């Protein structure tokens, strides 16, 4: 049984049922029944048109469920619309399914969960394990999301930017449990890029590939974080970097700059440097200026302060940092780094320790704690 084939076909089958008038929750149940039937039947011989087979079986399962519904008129309307068995129409409904799962009426966490369930084909248990929450909690979250989108009509264009933000949230979750969310986000974004010609979709795919290419070098054998400047660049995935750069260059050539393209350009400059010392920080600052103009994000300006510190010296970086709210996440860690670069080890050690207490993850906390201990050891008793 080709599990990858089933996972790839499921979103399109679900979208066909929704387009025909099935509500989202009932359609997804019907598709799951069809997938179970495929697992039972297909080992004896995969049908010539797998998607058409799944659509036919899922629609019949949906109608079986609809016939037990209290609304006879709705039931009869759906029966009248049953298509004759045959090849599935050559229409890719997957894009509409992305828009539905990333609908603005959903919270970001619900949109991510529903996208992974309906488009990614992950089980509720897998999603719960990836987000480290009880399966019952995730099931409730997905059920609420299904009820919300069941009221949404697919008769208007969706918001591409909302879809991209949901996929970016999935990617940033990285890896936990037995589900590699970063790899899953890359797969889903590839699928989206095949469905829509949009420079920001290409920009997000390029950004993911460029970041994912450095994954093997991000942690030491003991699980500790390895900063970008200290990573073994021989462990970076050059194939993914080359692909990401090519996709980015094609997107930038269209002259419709967006924030994901700008982020990808920064990642490409890091990937292009043979060593940390050869990084083109001046050009990175210029891209951060573009990104700040596009987003107005204080987090972007925080990252820009680091780049300024590398391009123009740590005091210039500290001056840029002084313009920002000290309550920003990672502000204290950035200040510690810049003070260390400026030679003020006592202040840097104190700030590293303070940043460790504010860290969002155990790995980041341990890294910052080690930085503080390293500087304290250098200063002596």
């Amino acid at each position: 049984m080709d599990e990858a084939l089933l996972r790839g076909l499921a979103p399109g089958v679900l979208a066909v049922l929704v387009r025909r008038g099935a509500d989202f929750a009932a359609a997804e149940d019907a598709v799951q029944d069809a997938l179970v039937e495929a697992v039972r039947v297909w080992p004896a011989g995969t049908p010539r048109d797998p998607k058409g087979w799944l659509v036919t079986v899922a629609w019949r399962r949906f109608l079986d469920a609809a016939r037990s519904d209290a609304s006879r008129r709705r039931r009869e309307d759906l029966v009248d619309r049953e298509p004759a068995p045959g090849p599935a129409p050559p229409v890719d409904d997957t894009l509409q399914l992305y828009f539905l799962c990333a609908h603005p009426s959903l919270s970001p966490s619900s949109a991510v969960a529903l996208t992974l369930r309906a488009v990614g084909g992950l089980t509720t248990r897998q999603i719960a394990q990836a987000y480290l929450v009880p399966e019952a909690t995730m099931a409730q979250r997905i059920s609420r999301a299904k009820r919300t989108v069941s009221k949404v009509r697919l008769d208007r264009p969706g918001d591409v930017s909302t879809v991209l933000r949901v996929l970016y949230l999935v990617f940033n979750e990285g890896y936990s449990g037995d589900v590699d969310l970063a790899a899953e986000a890359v797969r889903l974004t590839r699928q989206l890029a095949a469905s829509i010609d949009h420079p920001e979709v290409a920009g997000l795919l390029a950004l993911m590939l460029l970041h994912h290419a450095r994954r093997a070098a991000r942690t030491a054998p003991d699980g500790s974080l390895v900063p970008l400047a200290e990573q073994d660049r021989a462990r970076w995935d050059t194939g993914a970097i080359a692909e990401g750069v090519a996709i980015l260059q094609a997107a930038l050539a269209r002259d419709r700059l967006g924030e994901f393209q700008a982020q990808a350009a920064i990642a490409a400059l890091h990937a292009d440097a043979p060593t940390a010392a050869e990084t083109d920080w001046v050009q990175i600052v210029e891209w951060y200026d573009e990104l700040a103009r596009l987003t107005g994000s204080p987090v972007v300006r925080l990252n820009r302060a680091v780049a300024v510190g590398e391009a123009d010296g740590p005091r210039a970086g500290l001056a840029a940092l002084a313009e920002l709210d000290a309550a920003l996440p990672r502000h204290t860690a950035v200040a510690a780094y810049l003070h260390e670069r400026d030679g003020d080890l006592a202040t840097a050690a104190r700030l590293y320790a303070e940043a460790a207490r504010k860290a969002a993850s155990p790995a980041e906390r341990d890294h910052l704690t080690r930085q503080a201990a390293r500087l304290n050891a250098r200063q002596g008793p």
Side-chain angles (χ1 to χ4, degrees), residues 69-362:
D69 191 82
S71 175
R72 180 176 299 274
R73 181 176 300 175
R74 175 62 174 158
R75 185 167 68 241
E76 292 175 350
D77 287 344
L78 291 170
V79 172
D80 289 341
R81 291 163 58 186
E82 179 178 6
V91 177
D92 188 356
D93 297 282
T94 306
L95 180 59
Q96 294 288 359
L97 194 59
Y98 273 97
F99 290 137
L100 188 64
C101 293
H103 195 268
S105 61
L106 296 174
S107 68
S109 60
S110 294
V112 166
L114 191 59
T115 298
L116 289 172
R117 183 75 177 88
V119 186
L122 301 182
T123 65
T124 302
R125 174 174 295 180
Q126 287 175 315
I127 301 169
Q129 288 175 342
Y131 282 89
L132 304 178
V133 299
E135 184 176 354
T137 300
M138 185 57 68
Q140 291 175 352
R141 184 181 301 174
I142 293 173
S143 294
R144 287 195 297 269
K146 287 180 185 178
R147 288 196 298 271
T148 299
V149 300
S150 289
K151 304 169 186 176
V152 175
R153 292 174 58 88
L154 286 176
D155 56 355
R156 283 182 284 181
D159 181 5
V160 175
S161 64
T162 303
V163 174
L164 295 181
R165 292 191 186 286
V166 168
L167 290 173
Y168 195 42
L169 285 172
V170 175
F171 181 80
N172 283 334
E173 287 296 328
Y175 177 87
S176 57
D178 64 349
V179 179
D180 186 342
L181 289 179
E184 183 65 16
V186 172
R187 185 183 75 84
L188 293 177
T189 306
R190 282 191 191 280
Q191 188 181 65
L192 181 62
S195 302
I196 184 173
D197 182 19
H198 193 291
E200 272 293 81
V201 176
L204 179 58
L205 179 56
L207 176 63
M208 288 181 176
L209 289 169
L210 289 163
H211 279 310
H212 206 48
R214 303 200 299 260
R215 176 171 179 166
R218 283 202 187 105
T219 54
D222 63 359
S224 60
L225 293 179
V226 180
L228 177 60
E230 300 172 19
Q231 289 177 13
D232 179 359
R233 299 186 179 217
R235 299 184 66 195
W236 290 0
D237 185 342
T238 55
I241 290 172
E243 182 185 5
V245 169
I247 292 171
L248 172 63
Q249 288 174 337
L252 291 175
R254 301 177 64 174
D255 199 25
R256 290 169 54 195
L257 184 64
E259 61 177 291
F260 289 117
Q261 294 169 75
Q263 287 189 59
I266 293 168
L269 286 167
H270 283 297
D272 187 54
T275 66
E278 296 173 87
T279 304
D280 189 345
W281 287 106
V282 172
Q283 194 172 168
I284 287 176
V285 171
E286 292 174 356
W287 275 111
Y288 270 123
D289 288 338
E290 288 285 352
L291 189 55
R293 179 182 61 80
L294 289 166
T295 66
S297 166
V299 175
V300 169
R301 295 179 64 199
L302 181 69
N303 292 330
R304 177 186 177 276
V306 176
V308 168
E310 299 289 353
D312 300 326
R315 296 200 176 182
L318 287 168
L321 187 66
E323 299 175 1
L324 304 176
D325 185 349
L328 278 172
R330 294 186 57 251
H331 186 286
T332 306
V334 170
Y337 174 75
L338 291 171
H339 276 291
E340 180 184 356
R341 287 282 317 281
D342 195 38
D344 187 350
L345 302 189
T347 300
R350 176 178 58 78
L351 290 172
Y352 275 131
E354 181 182 338
R357 293 191 291 272
K358 301 176 182 177
S361 70

